[in-house]
Amino acid sequence: MNDVTALSAEALLAIRLSEPERLFTGDKAVAHQEFRALAARWHPDRCPDAGTTGVFQHVNQLYDAAVRKLRGGIWQMPGLLVLRATDGATYKIRYRKERAFELGRLFVGGEIVAYVVAKEYADLFENALQVIDRLPCADSRMAAEIGGYLPEIVRHFEIDEGWVLVLRKTPDQVLLRDLLDHCGGRLDARHVAWIVSSLLNLACYLDYARLAHNAILADTWFVSPSQHGGALLGGWWYAVRQGERMQAAPAATVQYAPFEVMDRRRGDIRTDLELIRALGRQLLGDATGLRLEREKAAPRPMLDWLRLPAGDSALRDYQIWTNRVLKDSFGKRRFVKLDVSAEDLY
Amino acid sequence: MGTARWDPTDWSAYAASTTGKTTDAVFASRRIDKDLNPLGVTVRESRDSDLNPESTAIIVGLDVTGSMGMIADALARKGLGTMVEEILARKPVTDPHILCMGIGDVLYDRAPLQVTQFEADIRIAKQLEKLWLEKGGGGNSCESYNLPWYFAAMHTAIDCFEKRGKKGYLFTVGDEEPPPNLPAAAIARFLGSRPQRDFDSRELLTLVGRMYHVFHVIVEEGNHARHDPRGVRNRWTELLGQRVIGLSDHTKLAEVIVSAIEVNEGHDRDNVVKSWSKKTALVVQRAVGGLGPARGGSAGVVRF
């Protein structure tokens, strides 16, 4: 039990209602004891000092928030997430960074990523499990080539508040959004080029698998700055087989997907190819593409490719990109070091 | 451009000046005006200003082939005034900046695209008057309605989207079918830029749809639409889905455009229809009956 009675009124009032973990222990019985101790200290009947009522009300609200969190199965401390599954099991996840995403929250750890998805998106969560479980590979060579790009499920379980999916990642991989933020909102064109190359390689696999992922975004793609690789860990909630009806999509996908696809709402590889282009433009500093030409953000062939619409074949897109666009933009291929590591970001 | 503010008295004076004039007198150009020639234009800009701090780009592309000059005529005499004043009064979007285009056929016409600046005041009417009603077109059942799409996507810069992520609006208006493609050679000839390949219309729609809500208005009084109404409608619907608008009375184009913007922005469709006088409401009802609000936003998840 924490010695909560030692805290001053100012210290208590400084605790936000969204962070009851800063005051209470993550155990229902212990938290109750702590609350009783606080009530004994701050109840206006026992402490007639000015302002006591406000402190007591705040403590009450913090306790209510703590009870709600404990009931929901999520208890979060700096760098540590404690999740209580509906089957009674408890999981502790160490994380370096937390982010909100459109279905819930994302926790980036050293070797795992945990997605906590709100209850109302149960169908999308289930869809992700099924799609990931059925990702095809023609042979061991393909598995070796493409496996690193794809998610590997460590664990998934239900909590009262929703659903949790834990995926494996390598320690050097960072969320592309975090890398972009770290670099001030734009990357050098040469780094954008290798990221786009990885994404197009993955798109060829998705096309082979007859899938449309529908959410290739800075919030779903993890990159390895040292290896120039990446993994598509997020967004599988929206993946469907090509031609199948889409259930949902992030707003960004609706923004950039082909008009016709959004009208018919069917899985289509062109959506992924358009999203890769949009991501390329975003990494250069402007997803709309309007400023890139004025600012000469990249060589002209690369800018033209990123701005103009995608074709309908991932393989053809990839061939044009590697054989023409990269050569015309940068000449002979060479490795360009990106001097950022996971430790710099997290 | 678009740094001034709409003044209804300017408009009244302008409208009075067109009274009694024939279409040929209002639209006196007999060749493309250099101010409207898109050849070599890098970019047409819709920028925020002190008077229009939250500008919204609205493009209206008018078919000027054959008898379609009647659309430009109606817009110049009354429509533009109605459009701007109703948008300012109803506020479906903020601070409208309007750019008008003249549309022809890249295969047959000398000026298949004419482009004004984005303007927020009476200058748009004066530029519209400069349109050359070429009255061309050919026997191919379509006009180059996709050339404005390419121009808007590659040669406009709009603050509503650039600064606020809000798409502009692009309406093409005519009586013929959509063209299947746009040859790179035509882009080079009429705009001066040299894309690496031809584009089909679906690709161009994807391109322009990143930045604009795109609609097509079928002028049902036009010769081609009267001859094959179902065919024209079907061909457009295959391409644009619900964003195809039937216009049964060309003098109500402005009201229909304002209504389409309102519905797209989430205003209740029935209330929008009822907001007009009885005769106009009938035209608007028929025009926007199939429209719904735009999907999506800048964040979150969209359920289908």
Side-chain angles (χ1 to χ4, degrees):
Chain A
M1 178 171 149
N2 295 334
D3 183 11
V4 289
T5 55
L7 293 169
S8 67
E10 291 74 23
L12 287 168
L13 290 170
I15 300 173
R16 289 188 291 184
L17 293 178
S18 59
E19 298 175 332
E21 295 95 335
R22 288 178 55 199
L23 182 60
F24 296 107
T25 302
D27 177 275
K28 207 171 170 182
V30 178
H32 184 64
Q33 285 176 22
E34 288 164 346
F35 174 65
R36 286 175 63 91
L38 282 163
R41 165 75 180 84
W42 293 102
H43 194 286
D45 290 349
R46 299 195 176 201
C47 182
D49 298 349
T52 301
T53 304
V55 176
F56 183 66
Q57 284 173 348
H58 190 63
V59 165
N60 257 304
Q61 289 174 321
L62 281 168
Y63 180 64
D64 288 345
V67 169
R68 275 199 302 278
K69 284 202 166 191
L70 287 165
R71 275 196 199 130
I74 296 183
W75 193 255
Q76 186 182 354
M77 286 164 280
L80 179 65
L81 183 66
V82 182
L83 298 164
R84 189 182 301 278
T86 50
D87 65 3
T90 299
Y91 300 96
K92 291 185 176 177
I93 294 173
R94 298 207 173 276
Y95 67 92
R96 295 172 172 182
K97 175 106 180 182
E98 177 195 1
R99 271 191 179 275
F101 76 111
E102 69 279 359
L103 305 186
R105 285 186 289 163
L106 155 69
F107 296 87
V108 181
E111 297 185 24
I112 58 97
V113 177
Y115 290 91
V116 179
V117 174
K119 203 118 204 164
E120 65 191 285
Y121 302 116
D123 59 328
L124 301 179
F125 186 86
E126 186 58 32
N127 181 63
L129 294 184
Q130 288 193 17
V131 172
I132 292 170
D133 190 47
R134 293 175 193 164
L135 290 172
C137 265
D139 51 33
S140 56
R141 190 164 155 260
M142 180 187 250
E145 168 76 21
I146 205 71
Y149 287 99
L150 301 175
E152 179 190 342
I153 296 176
V154 176
R155 182 169 283 112
H156 63 88
F157 51 91
E158 184 180 1
I159 58 175
D160 279 343
E161 201 177 274
W163 306 83
V164 181
L165 176 62
V166 183
L167 301 173
R168 197 175 305 287
K169 80 171 199 47
T170 56
D172 57 321
Q173 286 174 340
V174 299
L175 184 66
L176 185 52
R177 168 78 62 190
D178 292 333
L179 177 66
L180 190 58
D181 288 352
H182 178 80
C183 296
R186 69 174 60 188
L187 298 178
D188 182 273
R190 293 166 305 171
H191 296 305
V192 177
W194 64 255
I195 292 170
V196 169
S197 294
S198 301
L199 288 165
L200 285 173
N201 196 8
L202 175 75
C204 290
Y205 167 78
L206 291 171
D207 210 8
Y208 155 81
R210 308 303 299 158
L211 285 172
H213 181 270
N214 295 323
I216 298 179
L217 307 165
D219 301 300
T220 60
W221 180 247
F222 285 72
V223 286
S224 164
S226 59
Q227 302 296 315
H228 283 198
L232 187 57
L233 302 185
W236 291 92
W237 340 103
Y238 313 106
V240 292
R241 287 189 64 77
Q242 292 175 13
E244 260 180 22
R245 190 168 177 77
M246 294 167 69
Q247 299 301 316
T253 299
V254 176
Q255 169 86 12
Y256 291 110
F259 188 93
E260 175 198 1
V261 174
M262 281 302 105
D263 197 49
R264 295 182 183 167
R265 302 165 215 168
R266 302 269 166 188
D268 193 310
I269 192 65
R270 287 177 297 167
T271 301
D272 292 332
L273 297 176
E274 283 296 334
L275 289 174
I276 290 170
R277 281 166 165 74
L279 187 49
R281 298 191 299 268
Q282 181 185 4
L283 295 176
L284 287 172
D286 176 20
T288 71
L290 298 176
R291 293 199 307 270
L292 299 180
E293 196 156 312
R294 293 202 298 275
E295 294 171 357
K296 296 186 169 43
R300 187 61 188 262
M302 183 173 171
L303 279 186
D304 284 348
W305 190 89
L306 289 173
R307 287 192 73 191
L308 291 173
D312 56 6
S313 160
L315 185 59
R316 201 158 52 241
D317 234 19
Y318 187 47
Q319 286 169 336
I320 291 171
W321 170 257
T322 51
N323 297 336
R324 279 172 44 193
V325 178
L326 285 183
K327 275 187 186 164
D328 292 350
S329 298
F330 302 104
K332 198 175 171 185
R333 200 165 184 167
R334 61 195 171 90
F335 189 88
V336 183
K337 192 177 176 191
L338 176 56
D339 228 357
V340 178
S341 70
E343 284 66 37
D344 296 325
L345 267 65
Y346 303 125
Chain B
M1 291 293 186
T3 52
R5 188 78 180 166
W6 187 263
D7 182 340
T9 54
D10 286 347
W11 177 258
S12 300
Y14 171 80
S17 75
T18 63
T19 306
K21 284 186 180 175
T22 62
T23 300
D24 281 350
V26 174
F27 293 91
S29 296
R30 296 298 174 261
R31 63 178 65 85
I32 189 166
D33 189 286
K34 64 177 174 30
D35 292 342
L36 306 190
N37 193 343
L39 183 66
V41 168
T42 309
V43 75
R44 290 277 201 255
E45 294 178 288
S46 161
R47 297 297 187 200
D48 295 343
S49 63
D50 290 344
L51 287 172
N52 298 287
E54 291 199 21
S55 60
T56 303
I58 299 173
I59 296 177
V60 182
L62 307 170
D63 188 336
V64 293
T65 67
S67 61
M68 284 292 99
M70 65 183 180
I71 304 291
D73 184 82
L75 202 63
R77 289 179 197 276
K78 181 168 174 285
L80 270 178
T82 302
M83 192 184 335
V84 177
E85 281 160 25
E86 291 294 341
I87 290 173
L88 291 175
R90 294 163 181 251
K91 299 184 175 56
V93 292
T94 49
D95 304 337
H97 281 181
I98 295 176
L99 177 150
C100 291
M101 292 179 172
I103 304 169
D105 189 323
V106 295
L107 295 179
Y108 299 99
D109 293 340
R110 283 191 285 163
L113 187 67
Q114 302 171 69
V115 186
T116 71
Q117 301 285 340
F118 281 103
E119 298 291 3
D121 65 353
I122 195 67
R123 279 176 288 187
I124 189 61
K126 296 192 170 153
Q127 288 186 51
L128 181 66
E129 263 188 13
K130 293 182 179 178
L131 273 185
W132 173 28
L133 304 186
E134 191 175 356
K135 299 178 184 171
N140 52 355
S141 301
C142 60
E143 308 299 357
S144 299
Y145 302 114
N146 55 9
L147 190 54
W149 295 351
Y150 183 88
F151 185 90
M154 302 302 285
H155 295 279
T156 65
I158 57 176
D159 272 352
C160 57
F161 190 64
E162 209 168 314
K163 288 186 178 171
R164 295 180 290 284
K166 267 191 75 80
K167 291 185 183 184
Y169 280 84
L170 196 167
F171 294 86
T172 49
V173 185
D175 68 333
E176 300 216 5
E177 297 166 20
N181 56 28
L182 181 62
I187 296 171
R189 182 176 167 204
F190 295 111
L191 303 186
S193 50
R194 298 186 181 279
Q196 293 148 344
R197 62 180 175 90
D198 299 348
F199 297 102
D200 70 40
S201 287
R202 290 184 195 287
E203 291 177 321
L204 291 172
L205 195 52
T206 297
L207 183 65
V208 70
R210 291 175 193 159
M211 205 155 82
Y212 288 90
H213 298 291
V214 182
F215 295 82
H216 181 75
V217 180
I218 299 173
V219 182
E220 294 171 344
E221 295 160 293
N223 288 339
H224 195 87
R226 267 188 294 145
H227 174 70
D228 182 16
R230 184 169 296 186
V232 172
R233 178 107 200 170
N234 286 349
R235 242 80 77 201
W236 275 109
T237 304
E238 280 169 22
L239 195 60
L240 279 172
Q242 66 172 9
R243 291 190 178 178
V244 181
I245 296 169
L247 178 67
S248 54
D249 177 351
H250 73 277
T251 65
K252 305 296 182 200
L253 174 63
E255 291 87 340
V256 164
I257 285 177
V258 173
S259 301
I261 294 173
E262 286 188 281
V263 173
N264 195 60
E265 293 291 328
H267 294 203
D268 180 77
R269 192 170 51 201
D270 292 339
N271 288 342
V272 169
V273 171
K274 281 184 212 155
S275 68
W276 301 102
S277 67
K278 197 171 177 185
K279 189 180 169 201
T280 304
L282 285 174
V283 178
V284 170
Q285 162 77 52
R286 181 178 159 79
V288 304
L291 292 186
R295 229 177 272 116
S298 57
V301 62
V302 180
R303 287 279 197 179
F304 297 127

